[in-house]
Amino acid sequence: MLLPDSALPNNDAHAYLSDRAGTIERELERLLPSDASGLAEAMRYATLGAGKRVRPALVLAACECCGAPSALALPAACALEMIHNYSLVHDDLPAMDNDDLRRGRPTVHRAFGEAEALLAGDALLTLAFEVISAESLAAGVPSERIVALVTELARAAGTAGMCGGQALELACERSHTDVGHAQTDVGHDTVREISVRKTGALFRAAARLGGIAAGASAEQLTALTEYGEAFGDAFQITDDLLDMGQDQQRAALPTYVTALGADGARTQAAARAGQAKTALADFGEHAAHLIGIMDLMMSRQE
Ligand code: GRG
């Protein structure tokens, strides 16, 4: 059950995020398959019990910001989190980043095998679209809004968004390896293009999905879009700063830190976080949770 949307103080983003993460966890638990198959087990392992749940919390907060109950946006929030988790499973595979650990435990392919990890990712992506359509209908979201939600999610996850960004990063990585250049040669524009699509598209979609589920006006949706885009930039730059010098494999990838330097990246992150918050000015105190989550992400240490 969702807490009544007004039950949490506006100024405590940590409490808000933790409460909404609990709601999302319980709903994911219900929505994921629970049969005895290895596929269901791998999907649950990939999704449950870890993760900050930032994207789905943003979906709920954006819906509330527009004055609608967050229950209307819960299916879209869970669908977005399923897509995020599928992307992590596939990103960890040997053909991509070849990671052994994710969220402090063995990656899905390490725990279940490569073919099983591929299928678990595929099944999470597919389930996301079942959930955002069928569960939104069951929650009482009008059908024209559901069409817009499905379109939004598909665009964010596909060629124009996350998959396209990942492909661009791969191409960039390979061309630089082929000609023997260091990744430090990759400029800010390319880093930004990769980041906006690979990471930013899901944050942009998070803010917009909440607005669409709520029936936001065109002006409200524009403001939420600006917030989501700026949030995505600030989040990725902060991530690059946190990753700085942490992982030799990641050091081969172009980042905001290699493109701007650490000080330049910090300045840029702060500027984009400020723009995210300013974009919500017309919502007044209804935007407090969205603003609080932005601040929380800027101060995170992992
Ligand atoms: C394989 C189709 C395909 C896409 C992969 C998004 C992506 C593209 C890969 C994820 C790898 C990565 C480290 C991306 C940067 C974005 C990012 C910081 C993801 C981690 O998000 P958090 O911090 O993770 O929200 P949790 O674990 O909290 O959910």
Side-chain angles (χ1 to χ4, degrees):
M1 264 312 276
L2 283 177
L3 268 179
D5 290 335
S6 58
L8 286 161
N10 271 353
N11 58 359
D12 193 344
H14 195 272
Y16 179 83
L17 189 54
S18 142
D19 175 80
R20 294 305 187 257
T23 301
I24 290 147
E25 185 75 19
R26 288 188 291 280
E27 189 63 357
L28 287 170
E29 166 83 37
R30 182 182 80 80
L31 293 167
L32 285 163
S34 56
D35 57 82
S37 69
L39 179 59
E41 206 191 328
M43 290 167 76
R44 296 176 78 81
Y45 179 89
T47 311
L48 297 175
K52 294 183 287 298
R53 311 301 190 204
V54 182
R55 296 160 190 78
L58 287 178
V59 178
L60 302 184
C63 182
E64 294 166 29
C65 183
C66 296
S70 62
L72 282 182
L74 188 56
C78 290
L80 185 64
E81 184 66 9
M82 285 175 187
I83 289 191
H84 167 58
N85 283 276
Y86 121 72
S87 83
L88 298 180
V89 174
H90 281 194
D91 190 61
D92 289 336
L93 284 167
M96 299 256 184
D97 273 6
N98 195 17
D99 277 319
D100 293 335
L101 287 175
R102 163 77 57 191
R103 296 167 170 165
R105 57 192 188 186
T107 46
V108 178
H109 68 276
R110 284 279 166 217
F112 293 86
E114 262 182 69
E116 288 76 6
L118 259 178
L119 284 172
D122 291 341
L124 281 170
L125 172 62
T126 316
L127 181 60
F129 285 97
E130 180 184 335
V131 164
I132 201 167
S133 46
E135 296 289 327
S136 294
L137 197 63
V141 180
S143 45
E144 67 276 11
R145 283 188 214 166
I146 297 178
V147 174
L149 289 172
V150 170
T151 308
E152 185 70 35
L153 190 63
R155 285 197 179 131
T159 27
M162 185 179 70
C163 285
Q166 178 78 352
L168 194 58
E169 184 177 77
L170 276 176
C172 191
E173 201 182 342
R174 286 187 181 146
S175 75
H176 278 249
T177 309
D178 289 349
V179 295
H181 287 162
Q183 284 301 329
T184 44
D185 296 342
V186 175
H188 174 256
D189 289 353
T190 306
V191 170
R192 186 166 157 68
E193 167 88 25
I194 292 170
S195 154
V196 161
R197 289 164 71 180
K198 181 179 133 171
T199 313
L202 291 198
F203 284 112
R204 179 181 191 271
R208 286 176 56 84
L209 288 170
I212 293 166
S217 68
E219 292 75 20
Q220 287 176 321
L221 206 51
T222 300
L224 287 171
T225 306
E226 268 181 53
Y227 168 85
E229 289 175 353
F231 188 106
D233 285 348
F235 185 95
Q236 182 61 61
I237 301 168
T238 303
D239 209 65
D240 288 351
L241 283 161
L242 289 170
D243 272 355
M244 198 168 51
Q246 292 271 312
D247 178 341
Q248 284 310 312
Q249 194 181 9
R250 287 224 154 260
L253 298 172
T255 74
Y256 279 103
V257 177
T258 55
L260 297 175
D263 286 344
R266 274 186 208 100
T267 305
Q268 181 82 350
R272 291 302 275 150
Q275 284 161 358
K277 296 190 279 183
T278 305
L280 302 178
D282 287 350
F283 288 105
E285 68 175 39
H286 295 291
H289 292 313
L290 287 175
I291 289 172
I293 297 173
M294 181 75 269
D295 287 337
L296 206 56
M297 287 305 111
M298 292 301 290
S299 63
R300 77 198 159 103
Q301 298 303 318
E302 57 180 7

